[in-house]
Amino acid sequence: MSLQSLSIGVSGLRSHQTRLDTVSNNIANSSTTAFKRQRAAFSEELGQAILGVGRTAGGSNINPSKVGRGVSVASIDRNFSQGSLNDTGIKTDLALNGDGFFVASPKSGAASDQRRLTRAGNFTFNQNGELVTANGLNVQGWEVGEDGTANTGELKNVQFDPNAQSAAKATTEAEVGGNLSADAEVGDTSEISSVVYDEQGKAHNVVINFENTSEDTWNYTVKDPDGVLQDENAGGGTNEDGVANGTIKFNDDGSVDTVGVNEAGNFNPDGGPNDGVSIDWQSDAVQGGKSLGISLRDITQFSGSTTSKFQGQNGNSSGELSGVQFTPEGKLQLNYTNGVQEEEYQLAIGDVNNPNGLEQQGDNFFTTTGASGDLQLGRAGRDLQTSVVSGALESSNVDLAKEFSDLIKAQRSYQASSQIITTADEVLNQTVQLKR
């Protein structure tokens, strides 16, 4: 029994040493970005049978009796609960609010060519505009098309051109909204204007004059002070007199009934009822016979003030890159000095069925194993209930108060195991003395 006690004591020392190492590692990494605390789970060693299941002469059952042989470490589990998010003010610092991992390229020269997974989003852009981890691995995602949708095929390195420019774009559509007062009298007028752009990005003014002609009816005249639109008043007048005109009639509920066009063409981009007026650009301003379509369908006629205005137009001047940022969906957005925003890439978010089955690689990285399940890729905010927070980092989920408590418990258990060995040694000495 004494020799067995020695073995049990040694197993306790060994197991509680592992627990001390685990707790110490948690404490040491309490400030490590996105670190997930670990715990050592123990299991009892298979005991030595003393009495087996049987029956007495009187027919009663005998309970099985075994003496345990000590303790061993069953597993080292990792707690993947969400850590708190700390603002850093650095746009390339990214945190995941929810499940999943950022996906990085395989490590050069590593034995495994598996992609690395990490929750630590302390990224930077290198000299080539590539988004990389603190260790220099490329962060990966998908290219985003012109419609803003990610092409979820082959993963590519997230990057942008540091010398990117936004090309000039001619205005082909403009929208007018707001209100024309139902209290206006015949002859009352209102005038609005907007900047539009030609093919080289030069700004030009377009003016629309509204005049009340009768109940629920307004005439409009489109004027072109800069002379860049086709003059439809053949045989007389100038562009300032109007390059197009027509009539807007309203329903009793204040919505537009019809938009009539007396000069130029109809504008109905959606193939429905006429939305407004279409005017051709002069060939020296915009080549290819392009037109400027002005939608008037969003105007209302309610009692009160006249608040009609241009709500927007789709042209722009050329612009230089002014900055980059990440959206909550993990899309890399480029901002230009002309106000244009372009989405280039969307970060891929990886997930597995069993995160505890991931293999730790160091440097805040993990790789998949047979126990974790296959890597599943998705998009934040769409395929996964996860969002990307820019300008923040996830903190370690280590609770120092709990870790220090566990440290004391592990120390006491270690001391108790050493006491088992001391006691067993004393018993052995007493046994030896019996022979003398």
Side-chain angles (χ1 to χ4, degrees):
M1 290 294 294
S2 298
L3 291 175
Q4 190 66 34
S5 298
L6 280 172
S7 175
I8 292 173
V10 170
S11 72
L13 288 177
R14 210 167 27 230
S15 299
H16 289 293
Q17 179 61 58
T18 301
R19 186 182 182 189
L20 279 169
D21 293 342
T22 303
V23 174
S24 300
N25 186 59
N26 289 341
I27 295 174
N29 284 281
S30 60
S31 297
T32 300
T33 302
F35 176 80
K36 303 302 180 185
R37 68 177 299 270
Q38 295 174 290
R39 69 171 185 187
F42 294 166
S43 65
E44 181 186 8
E45 289 288 334
L46 181 62
Q48 177 184 3
I50 302 300
L51 295 174
V53 177
R55 291 179 180 272
T56 65
S60 300
N61 290 325
I62 300 175
N63 294 330
S65 299
K66 291 188 177 183
V67 176
R69 291 185 175 179
V71 64
S72 63
V73 178
S75 64
I76 305 293
D77 302 317
R78 192 176 291 272
N79 183 345
F80 279 94
S81 62
Q82 177 80 49
S84 61
L85 305 185
N86 293 330
D87 292 336
T88 65
I90 302 174
K91 292 182 179 180
T92 54
D93 282 346
L94 304 178
L96 291 178
N97 188 12
D99 296 333
F101 300 84
F102 296 110
V103 181
S105 60
K107 195 168 186 178
S108 177
S112 172
D113 61 352
Q114 289 179 295
R115 292 186 174 91
R116 265 40 179 179
L117 305 179
T118 183
R119 295 276 301 187
N122 49 326
F123 304 142
T124 57
F125 285 109
N126 63 17
Q127 69 276 14
N128 299 319
E130 298 173 324
L131 186 66
V132 296
T133 67
N135 316 87
L137 300 187
N138 289 93
V139 182
Q140 298 193 311
W142 300 287
E143 286 185 306
V144 174
E146 293 183 0
D147 60 353
T149 303
N151 302 317
T152 54
E154 181 184 359
L155 285 180
K156 297 185 177 181
N157 296 335
V158 175
Q159 60 184 331
F160 74 100
D161 181 3
N163 301 313
Q165 292 184 324
S166 174
K169 180 182 177 182
T171 303
T172 57
E173 294 184 13
E175 303 85 33
V176 176
N179 187 61
L180 293 174
S181 177
D183 303 325
E185 298 181 355
V186 174
D188 287 351
T189 61
S190 175
E191 193 167 83
I192 62 175
S193 65
S194 175
V195 171
V196 294
Y197 297 91
D198 64 20
E199 210 159 40
Q200 293 183 342
K202 295 179 181 178
H204 304 280
N205 287 318
V206 169
V207 178
I208 301 180
N209 178 270
F210 296 100
E211 180 181 1
N212 184 276
T213 57
S214 63
E215 184 178 3
D216 297 333
T217 302
W218 292 72
N219 283 350
Y220 67 87
T221 302
V222 181
K223 299 179 180 180
D224 172 27
D226 294 345
V228 292
L229 299 174
Q230 295 284 3
D231 184 1
E232 297 294 336
N233 294 305
T238 66
N239 285 349
E240 293 188 3
D241 296 326
V243 291
N245 58 73
T247 302
I248 304 175
K249 293 186 177 181
F250 292 92
N251 297 310
D252 292 339
D253 63 359
S255 63
V256 172
D257 180 17
T258 61
V259 178
V261 179
N262 299 329
E263 303 288 349
N266 297 324
F267 178 60
N268 49 352
D270 298 326
N274 184 37
D275 280 345
V277 60
S278 179
I279 313 160
D280 293 335
W281 282 94
Q282 295 277 11
S283 59
D284 57 349
V286 177
Q287 298 179 354
K290 291 183 179 179
S291 300
L292 169 61
I294 303 176
S295 174
L296 302 170
R297 275 278 167 186
D298 292 337
I299 301 177
T300 60
Q301 182 185 251
F302 297 125
S303 177
S305 302
T306 292
T307 59
S308 56
K309 61 180 179 179
F310 277 90
Q311 294 180 322
Q313 53 83 36
N314 65 349
N316 58 261
S317 61
S318 61
E320 303 292 331
L321 185 64
S322 61
V324 298
Q325 64 183 24
F326 285 90
T327 69
E329 294 78 28
K331 291 182 178 179
L332 173 60
Q333 192 174 78
L334 308 186
N335 301 322
Y336 296 92
T337 54
N338 58 0
V340 172
Q341 293 181 326
E342 294 180 353
E343 294 175 342
E344 294 288 311
Y345 281 86
Q346 183 166 13
L347 295 172
I349 308 300
D351 200 10
V352 293
N353 292 332
N354 176 27
N356 263 302
L358 294 171
E359 184 175 356
Q360 185 179 359
Q361 298 293 334
D363 297 329
N364 292 326
F365 290 126
F366 299 91
T367 54
T368 58
T369 66
S372 69
D374 294 334
L375 177 62
Q376 304 160 19
L377 300 176
R379 292 163 290 180
R382 181 165 180 173
D383 305 319
L384 299 170
Q385 297 299 317
T386 300
S387 61
V388 177
V389 181
S390 178
L393 290 176
E394 182 181 3
S395 299
S396 164
N397 64 356
V398 171
D399 182 347
L400 282 177
K402 185 179 185 310
E403 297 303 327
F404 281 123
S405 174
D406 289 346
L407 188 66
I408 294 172
K409 291 178 183 178
Q411 180 187 20
R412 294 288 183 262
S413 297
Y414 188 90
Q415 290 173 343
S417 295
S418 66
Q419 186 62 43
I420 293 174
I421 297 175
T422 301
T423 302
D425 180 59
E426 292 177 355
V427 171
L428 283 174
N429 286 332
Q430 291 176 359
T431 302
V432 171
Q433 292 297 325
L434 290 175
K435 297 174 61 178
R436 298 180 181 179

